[in-house]
Amino acid sequence: MTHHEEDTGGRRVDTVDALWRHLVHTLDPVYPDEAHRMAQWLLEEATGLSRIQRIAHPERSIEAAERERLDAMVQCLVAGEPLQYVVGYAHFRSLRLSVTPDVLIPRPETEQLVEQALEHIPVQQAVRVLDVGTGSGCIALALKHERPDAVVVGCDVSTAALQVAQSNAAAHGLPVPFVQADMRASDLPDRTDGPFDLVLSNPPYVTMGEAATLPKRVRAYEPAEALFAEQGPLQYYHALAQQRDRLLRPGGQLLVEINEAYGAAVAACFREHGLSHVELHQDLTGRDRFVGARRSR
Ligand code: GLN
């Protein structure tokens, strides 16, 4: 089969099959482990064709506009831009969320944070939950989606991030207010209308020393404000723990995602602030990734 065929109007058209092979061929040298997955994601984005449809209809023709969109997306990918920014969305638990370079691309570890958070919410008890540094809104929105009876609030210091979170809330019809607040500032509990039964956060936790070790697609494209703890790895955990009495109800639970190298340090920081039931948990790859703690009753 030829790569391009002439249609009756003299326009260049591709078949799905030819385009598929072209996509995999272009992506494979740059993303050897992910070329097929990426090619399918792009094809579906540009043409709406699922994997099954692609295989069932290899002769379907590709419109010029679809082809142009695909070429533009492939160019961005080959330049190193993350797939989720290129297509404009990411999957997080059961939600499809818009992402822009103003927000971190949600990670699988953070899906696990939500899993753990759900375990802290008693079955028949409506609780108030805060997600600090919400970014795309992923934690807050997934939690509200899975426990509609919970009152969930999200906050972020970045107004650009808040717009992304708000549009995600609207797209899914999830009533989660997103408010502007800086977790380093003492007005965090007031701005978010604390105290809460459960406070969650995936704060910036990459140290400046680790910056050079990040993959280019993270370092060059994801928001530095959401990645780096410029004042040291405990900066944000210290700030949250310091506000415990106005952020958490007595007995309230704090649950955070952490840098794998600072599990013991974050746990010690929480203990020093008088929090109890301090627990360190690992992610699915076995790395220290979460710390839970409670405000004493
Ligand atoms: N998990 C992210 C990374 O490895 C960092 C997220 C964060 O700083 N909260 O790039």
Side-chain angles (χ1 to χ4, degrees), residues 76 81-89 97-106 135-136 158 160-162 164 217-227:
C76 294
E81 191 169 339
L83 177 62
Q84 292 88 340
Y85 290 151
V86 174
V87 296
Y89 64 88
L97 300 173
S98 291
V99 292
T100 71
D102 290 315
V103 301
L104 208 66
I105 296 166
S136 62
S158 155
L162 289 170
V164 176
R217 78 176 115 159
V218 175
R219 199 176 60 238
Y221 291 96
E222 299 205 61
E225 203 180 8
L227 285 171

Side-chain angles (χ1 to χ4, degrees), residues 104 107 109 202-206 214 218 226-228 257 289:
L104 208 66
R107 307 286 203 271
E109 303 87 276
N202 172 22
Y205 60 63
V206 180
L214 289 179
V218 175
L227 285 171
F228 299 115
E257 187 175 317
R289 189 62 67 202

Side-chain angles (χ1 to χ4, degrees), residues 249-260:
R249 286 184 178 153
Q253 176 76 29
L254 177 61
L255 184 59
V256 295
E257 187 175 317
I258 59 155
N259 183 322
E260 67 204 62

Side-chain angles (χ1 to χ4, degrees), residues 30-239:
V30 198
Y31 300 99
D33 301 328
E34 298 170 278
H36 283 80
R37 187 180 67 86
M38 283 182 160
Q40 179 55 47
W41 197 336
L42 293 182
L43 186 78
E44 188 151 348
E45 186 57 25
T47 66
L49 289 170
S50 69
R51 181 173 165 275
I52 304 290
Q53 289 168 323
R54 163 174 68 77
I55 293 165
H57 305 287
E59 299 304 318
R60 177 192 180 282
S61 62
I62 297 290
E63 309 280 326
E66 293 173 335
R67 175 68 200 243
E68 273 165 36
R69 173 117 197 273
L70 268 166
D71 284 342
M73 292 194 291
V74 168
Q75 238 175 25
C76 294
L77 276 176
V78 170
E81 191 169 339
L83 177 62
Q84 292 88 340
Y85 290 151
V86 174
V87 296
Y89 64 88
H91 294 286
F92 187 79
R93 291 185 72 87
S94 58
L95 300 178
R96 174 181 149 150
L97 300 173
S98 291
V99 292
T100 71
D102 290 315
V103 301
L104 208 66
I105 296 166
R107 307 286 203 271
E109 303 87 276
T110 310
E111 295 184 303
Q112 239 186 302
L113 181 77
V114 172
E115 188 76 47
Q116 295 188 12
L118 289 165
E119 289 168 14
H120 284 289
I121 305 179
V123 177
Q124 277 176 335
Q125 192 180 318
V127 298
R128 300 189 75 237
V129 185
L130 174 66
D131 173 21
V132 186
T134 196
S136 62
C138 59
I139 296 172
L141 294 171
L143 208 73
K144 181 69 184 174
H145 185 244
E146 293 175 55
R147 279 301 295 264
D149 58 324
V151 173
V152 184
V153 178
C155 72
D156 206 286
V157 70
S158 155
T159 50
L162 289 170
Q163 281 177 14
V164 176
Q166 274 153 359
S167 84
N168 279 324
H172 289 285
L174 291 167
V176 173
F178 287 103
V179 298
Q180 205 265 338
D182 184 338
M183 73 174 102
R184 294 161 294 193
S186 59
D187 64 356
L188 174 69
D190 307 314
R191 281 179 171 261
T192 53
D193 201 21
F196 295 88
D197 300 287
L198 179 57
V199 173
L200 304 169
S201 186
N202 172 22
Y205 60 63
V206 180
T207 64
M208 298 320 284
E210 291 166 329
T213 69
L214 289 179
K216 183 197 162 208
R217 78 176 115 159
V218 175
R219 199 176 60 238
Y221 291 96
E222 299 205 61
E225 203 180 8
L227 285 171
F228 299 115
E230 293 191 0
Q231 315 282 321
L234 299 184
Q235 176 185 8
Y236 291 98
Y237 307 103
H238 177 73

